[in-house]
Amino acid sequence: MALTRLDKLIADSGVASRSEAKALIRSGRVTVNGRVPRLAEEKYASETAVICIDGEQISCSKNRYIMLHKPGGILSATEDSKQETVIDLLSPQLQRQGLFPVGRLDKDTTGLLLLTNDGDFAHRVISPKKRVPKLYRAAVDGVLDEADVQAFSEGLTLGDGTQCMPAQLRILRPSVGLVTVFEGKYHQVKRMFASRGKHVTALHRQRIGALNLDEELRPGDYRELTEAEIAAVFASEDICENDGNEK
Ligand code: URA
């Protein structure tokens, strides 16, 4: 097992910066395995050390998994010289964690966005080979019909000739549909509707795998995923058929 300096372990947990962690250790507010450490340089294994601050155990796992309710008007990027990004919505502690968005939502798209610093996790969510379904609610400026449903299910060809994998469309109202895609091409859902002559006027992601956007989260709010929710991302059924009684 790799050993890591105590101040770094605390900083990696996101509760404090490296210098704040050193100060916490110096002031005797930190215990490791029930004992007050003398130095910030002491090394421990993140897997086994029980680290407490003021008696509260902190999580030393370096991997973070955040669910964000992305508001419209914010970029899905880690930084931008002019515009606000989803990382700017996070607390200063989380901004130090090397988080990045798992795939991108367009600036005007709202809904479920995952943020992590776990590259393997992100790859598994995004890779078309893993077939993790993403469920969107789309409002369009035309009337949806059975020919659209059929075309989505057969795999659409976009305006530039790009071939899409078969997707699912369920019509909720004449101009509102639920779309499930298993890949994440650039502006994919908007371009799929455009290939059917329909312009998307609003797009909201509701679900990734079997993980729903928490309805308690208002736009701009976020929270950590539980272990069960991380697993749910990869535990999906046919989510268009099981769409949470969407009306
Ligand atoms: N498809 C789009 O067109 N835009 C998004 O933001 C996500 C999927």
Side-chain angles (χ1 to χ4, degrees):
M1 251 180 288
L3 298 180
T4 306
R5 279 175 58 130
L6 180 55
D7 54 343
K8 180 159 180 0
L9 285 177
I10 294 173
D12 285 346
S13 78
V15 298
S17 67
R18 196 81 178 257
S19 55
E20 288 164 349
K22 284 182 186 154
L24 284 167
I25 296 163
R26 268 200 307 274
S27 64
R29 291 169 60 191
V30 176
T31 58
V32 185
N33 303 327
R35 183 186 76 74
V36 178
R38 285 190 306 123
L39 298 169
E41 290 81 359
E42 288 181 19
K43 291 189 172 178
Y44 298 93
S46 62
E47 296 87 345
T48 54
V50 178
I51 301 178
C52 298
I53 299 176
D54 297 331
E56 290 272 328
Q57 188 172 347
I58 60 168
S59 164
C60 290
S61 157
K62 274 195 234 151
N63 289 336
R64 316 295 293 228
Y65 307 90
I66 305 288
M67 166 193 290
L68 168 73
H69 185 165
K70 181 189 170 298
I74 307 278
L75 288 187
S76 295
T78 50
E79 56 186 0
D80 190 87
S81 57
K82 295 194 183 73
Q83 300 185 64
E84 200 178 7
T85 74
V86 289
I87 300 297
D88 296 324
L89 299 174
L90 304 176
S91 68
Q93 280 103 333
L94 280 174
Q95 289 188 16
R96 288 194 286 268
Q97 301 289 300
L99 295 163
F100 55 87
V102 177
R104 281 171 188 248
L105 292 179
D106 296 337
K107 187 173 168 186
D108 59 350
T109 301
T110 58
L112 174 58
L113 184 67
L114 299 177
L115 300 164
T116 188
N117 51 7
D118 180 346
D120 289 340
F121 172 83
H123 175 73
R124 284 170 67 208
V125 178
I126 295 166
S127 168
K129 289 197 190 116
K130 305 291 178 191
R131 289 191 60 80
V132 174
K134 287 95 187 171
L135 177 70
Y136 296 86
R137 190 179 57 228
V140 298
D141 69 356
V143 173
L144 299 169
D145 57 26
E146 283 310 311
D148 295 322
V149 174
Q150 182 67 23
F152 272 62
S153 74
E154 286 167 1
L156 287 162
T157 306
L158 304 180
D160 64 356
T162 303
Q163 186 61 43
C164 294
M165 291 165 68
Q168 295 166 349
L169 169 64
R170 193 183 135 204
I171 301 172
L172 293 178
R173 290 198 289 279
S175 295
V176 181
L178 279 183
V179 182
T180 303
V181 294
F182 299 88
E183 55 190 340
K185 297 184 196 307
Y186 183 63
H187 295 324
Q188 175 152 0
V189 174
K190 291 176 185 168
R191 288 159 74 210
M192 286 164 90
F193 279 109
S195 77
R196 299 291 306 161
K198 277 140 200 171
H199 173 71
V200 171
T201 54
L203 190 60
H204 179 84
R205 184 156 65 190
Q206 295 188 182
R207 190 182 299 183
I208 298 175
L211 175 70
N212 283 300
L213 176 62
D214 183 340
E215 289 179 0
E216 302 281 303
L217 293 179
R218 288 161 309 161
D221 285 354
Y222 59 88
R223 66 164 175 78
E224 302 245 6
L225 295 184
T226 64
E227 292 291 331
E229 288 173 331
I230 293 167
V233 171
F234 304 107
S236 52
E237 319 146 32
D238 184 340
I239 64 173
C240 217
E241 295 307 313
N242 175 23
D243 52 25
N245 301 320
E246 180 72 35
K247 300 214 175 52

mmCIF file of all heavy atoms in Angstrom, residues 104-109 136 185-191 203 205, ligand 1:
data_model
loop_
_atom_site.group_PDB
_atom_site.id
_atom_site.type_symbol
_atom_site.label_atom_id
_atom_site.label_comp_id
_atom_site.label_asym_id
_atom_site.label_seq_id
_atom_site.Cartn_x
_atom_site.Cartn_y
_atom_site.Cartn_z
ATOM 1 N N ARG A 104 -20.052 16.440 -21.825
ATOM 2 C CA ARG A 104 -20.441 17.856 -21.827
ATOM 3 C C ARG A 104 -21.925 18.004 -22.076
ATOM 4 O O ARG A 104 -22.504 17.248 -22.852
ATOM 5 C CB ARG A 104 -19.708 18.589 -22.952
ATOM 6 C CG ARG A 104 -18.295 18.917 -22.579
ATOM 7 C CD ARG A 104 -17.533 19.441 -23.742
ATOM 8 N NE ARG A 104 -16.121 19.543 -23.347
ATOM 9 C CZ ARG A 104 -15.474 20.686 -23.199
ATOM 10 N NH1 ARG A 104 -16.081 21.829 -23.440
ATOM 11 N NH2 ARG A 104 -14.227 20.700 -22.818
ATOM 12 N N LEU A 105 -22.506 18.987 -21.416
ATOM 13 C CA LEU A 105 -23.830 19.457 -21.813
ATOM 14 C C LEU A 105 -23.619 20.814 -22.455
ATOM 15 O O LEU A 105 -22.751 21.591 -22.009
ATOM 16 C CB LEU A 105 -24.747 19.594 -20.585
ATOM 17 C CG LEU A 105 -25.157 18.280 -19.896
ATOM 18 C CD1 LEU A 105 -26.046 18.567 -18.681
ATOM 19 C CD2 LEU A 105 -25.863 17.341 -20.864
ATOM 20 N N ASP A 106 -24.398 21.126 -23.471
ATOM 21 C CA ASP A 106 -24.283 22.442 -24.108
ATOM 22 C C ASP A 106 -24.569 23.528 -23.078
ATOM 23 O O ASP A 106 -25.224 23.289 -22.055
ATOM 24 C CB ASP A 106 -25.292 22.569 -25.250
ATOM 25 C CG ASP A 106 -25.014 21.567 -26.362
ATOM 26 O OD1 ASP A 106 -23.863 21.110 -26.474
ATOM 27 O OD2 ASP A 106 -25.967 21.243 -27.093
ATOM 28 N N LYS A 107 -24.124 24.730 -23.400
ATOM 29 C CA LYS A 107 -24.303 25.854 -22.469
ATOM 30 C C LYS A 107 -25.783 26.025 -22.078
ATOM 31 O O LYS A 107 -26.110 26.280 -20.922
ATOM 32 C CB LYS A 107 -23.763 27.124 -23.127
ATOM 33 C CG LYS A 107 -23.733 28.324 -22.240
ATOM 34 C CD LYS A 107 -23.030 29.470 -22.932
ATOM 35 C CE LYS A 107 -23.250 30.755 -22.151
ATOM 36 N NZ LYS A 107 -22.713 31.926 -22.850
ATOM 37 N N ASP A 108 -26.680 25.862 -23.043
ATOM 38 C CA ASP A 108 -28.102 26.089 -22.743
ATOM 39 C C ASP A 108 -28.810 24.834 -22.228
ATOM 40 O O ASP A 108 -29.985 24.892 -21.858
ATOM 41 C CB ASP A 108 -28.830 26.656 -23.969
ATOM 42 C CG ASP A 108 -28.734 25.729 -25.186
ATOM 43 O OD1 ASP A 108 -27.956 24.755 -25.140
ATOM 44 O OD2 ASP A 108 -29.443 25.985 -26.172
ATOM 45 N N THR A 109 -28.139 23.696 -22.211
ATOM 46 C CA THR A 109 -28.764 22.459 -21.709
ATOM 47 C C THR A 109 -28.713 22.455 -20.184
ATOM 48 O O THR A 109 -27.720 22.867 -19.584
ATOM 49 C CB THR A 109 -28.043 21.220 -22.265
ATOM 50 O OG1 THR A 109 -28.102 21.250 -23.693
ATOM 51 C CG2 THR A 109 -28.682 19.937 -21.777
ATOM 52 N N TYR A 136 -32.819 12.237 -21.960
ATOM 53 C CA TYR A 136 -33.063 13.685 -22.085
ATOM 54 C C TYR A 136 -34.544 13.940 -22.321
ATOM 55 O O TYR A 136 -35.215 13.149 -23.008
ATOM 56 C CB TYR A 136 -32.311 14.259 -23.299
ATOM 57 C CG TYR A 136 -30.818 14.187 -23.205
ATOM 58 C CD1 TYR A 136 -30.127 13.046 -23.607
ATOM 59 C CD2 TYR A 136 -30.078 15.265 -22.731
ATOM 60 C CE1 TYR A 136 -28.742 12.975 -23.526
ATOM 61 C CE2 TYR A 136 -28.695 15.209 -22.654
ATOM 62 C CZ TYR A 136 -28.029 14.056 -23.052
ATOM 63 O OH TYR A 136 -26.666 13.994 -22.983
ATOM 64 N N LYS A 185 -22.189 12.216 -29.061
ATOM 65 C CA LYS A 185 -21.579 13.027 -30.123
ATOM 66 C C LYS A 185 -21.901 14.501 -29.875
ATOM 67 O O LYS A 185 -22.867 14.826 -29.181
ATOM 68 C CB LYS A 185 -22.125 12.606 -31.481
ATOM 69 C CG LYS A 185 -21.795 11.170 -31.870
ATOM 70 C CD LYS A 185 -22.302 10.895 -33.277
ATOM 71 C CE LYS A 185 -22.359 9.416 -33.600
ATOM 72 N NZ LYS A 185 -21.124 8.703 -33.366
ATOM 73 N N TYR A 186 -21.120 15.360 -30.498
ATOM 74 C CA TYR A 186 -21.257 16.815 -30.344
ATOM 75 C C TYR A 186 -22.685 17.243 -30.703
ATOM 76 O O TYR A 186 -23.179 16.929 -31.795
ATOM 77 C CB TYR A 186 -20.232 17.476 -31.272
ATOM 78 C CG TYR A 186 -20.167 18.959 -31.208
ATOM 79 C CD1 TYR A 186 -19.792 19.612 -30.039
ATOM 80 C CD2 TYR A 186 -20.460 19.721 -32.335
ATOM 81 C CE1 TYR A 186 -19.728 20.994 -29.988
ATOM 82 C CE2 TYR A 186 -20.391 21.094 -32.297
ATOM 83 C CZ TYR A 186 -20.028 21.734 -31.123
ATOM 84 O OH TYR A 186 -19.967 23.093 -31.084
ATOM 85 N N HIS A 187 -23.359 17.937 -29.798
ATOM 86 C CA HIS A 187 -24.745 18.411 -30.012
ATOM 87 C C HIS A 187 -25.654 17.282 -30.498
ATOM 88 O O HIS A 187 -26.543 17.498 -31.328
ATOM 89 C CB HIS A 187 -24.790 19.534 -31.055
ATOM 90 C CG HIS A 187 -24.083 20.793 -30.654
ATOM 91 N ND1 HIS A 187 -24.060 21.278 -29.363
ATOM 92 C CD2 HIS A 187 -23.392 21.690 -31.398
ATOM 93 C CE1 HIS A 187 -23.365 22.408 -29.331
ATOM 94 N NE2 HIS A 187 -22.936 22.680 -30.542
ATOM 95 N N GLN A 188 -25.431 16.089 -29.975
ATOM 96 C CA GLN A 188 -26.075 14.931 -30.588
ATOM 97 C C GLN A 188 -27.605 15.018 -30.654
ATOM 98 O O GLN A 188 -28.198 14.811 -31.715
ATOM 99 C CB GLN A 188 -25.677 13.649 -29.845
ATOM 100 C CG GLN A 188 -26.448 12.439 -30.393
ATOM 101 C CD GLN A 188 -25.719 11.158 -30.243
ATOM 102 O OE1 GLN A 188 -24.604 11.114 -29.733
ATOM 103 N NE2 GLN A 188 -26.326 10.090 -30.693
ATOM 104 N N VAL A 189 -28.224 15.286 -29.514
ATOM 105 C CA VAL A 189 -29.697 15.234 -29.508
ATOM 106 C C VAL A 189 -30.272 16.341 -30.405
ATOM 107 O O VAL A 189 -31.199 16.100 -31.193
ATOM 108 C CB VAL A 189 -30.224 15.338 -28.058
ATOM 109 C CG1 VAL A 189 -31.742 15.432 -28.032
ATOM 110 C CG2 VAL A 189 -29.747 14.137 -27.238
ATOM 111 N N LYS A 190 -29.680 17.515 -30.341
ATOM 112 C CA LYS A 190 -30.172 18.619 -31.183
ATOM 113 C C LYS A 190 -30.006 18.277 -32.660
ATOM 114 O O LYS A 190 -30.898 18.549 -33.466
ATOM 115 C CB LYS A 190 -29.403 19.907 -30.857
ATOM 116 C CG LYS A 190 -29.726 20.467 -29.478
ATOM 117 C CD LYS A 190 -28.857 21.669 -29.183
ATOM 118 C CE LYS A 190 -29.069 22.157 -27.769
ATOM 119 N NZ LYS A 190 -28.061 23.122 -27.348
ATOM 120 N N ARG A 191 -28.879 17.660 -32.989
ATOM 121 C CA ARG A 191 -28.652 17.331 -34.406
ATOM 122 C C ARG A 191 -29.542 16.167 -34.847
ATOM 123 O O ARG A 191 -29.944 16.089 -36.016
ATOM 124 C CB ARG A 191 -27.174 16.998 -34.641
ATOM 125 C CG ARG A 191 -26.288 18.249 -34.559
ATOM 126 C CD ARG A 191 -24.847 17.899 -34.292
ATOM 127 N NE ARG A 191 -24.168 17.344 -35.433
ATOM 128 C CZ ARG A 191 -23.162 16.461 -35.350
ATOM 129 N NH1 ARG A 191 -22.758 16.008 -34.191
ATOM 130 N NH2 ARG A 191 -22.582 16.034 -36.439
ATOM 131 N N LEU A 203 -33.578 21.597 -23.714
ATOM 132 C CA LEU A 203 -33.047 20.241 -23.526
ATOM 133 C C LEU A 203 -32.600 20.091 -22.068
ATOM 134 O O LEU A 203 -31.884 20.949 -21.534
ATOM 135 C CB LEU A 203 -31.861 20.024 -24.470
ATOM 136 C CG LEU A 203 -31.311 18.606 -24.590
ATOM 137 C CD1 LEU A 203 -32.393 17.634 -25.097
ATOM 138 C CD2 LEU A 203 -30.123 18.578 -25.545
ATOM 139 N N ARG A 205 -31.224 17.011 -19.241
ATOM 140 C CA ARG A 205 -30.858 15.607 -19.001
ATOM 141 C C ARG A 205 -31.402 15.183 -17.647
ATOM 142 O O ARG A 205 -31.132 15.832 -16.627
ATOM 143 C CB ARG A 205 -29.353 15.394 -19.061
ATOM 144 C CG ARG A 205 -29.007 13.916 -18.912
ATOM 145 C CD ARG A 205 -27.672 13.562 -19.508
ATOM 146 N NE ARG A 205 -26.576 14.204 -18.810
ATOM 147 C CZ ARG A 205 -25.325 14.205 -19.265
ATOM 148 N NH1 ARG A 205 -25.029 13.622 -20.399
ATOM 149 N NH2 ARG A 205 -24.376 14.798 -18.579
HETATM 150 N N1 URA B 1 -27.190 16.571 -26.975
HETATM 151 C C1 URA B 1 -27.173 17.879 -27.299
HETATM 152 O O1 URA B 1 -27.477 18.252 -28.417
HETATM 153 N N2 URA B 1 -26.799 18.766 -26.368
HETATM 154 C C2 URA B 1 -26.479 18.417 -25.105
HETATM 155 O O2 URA B 1 -26.173 19.285 -24.293
HETATM 156 C C3 URA B 1 -26.496 17.053 -24.777
HETATM 157 C C4 URA B 1 -26.861 16.138 -25.730
#
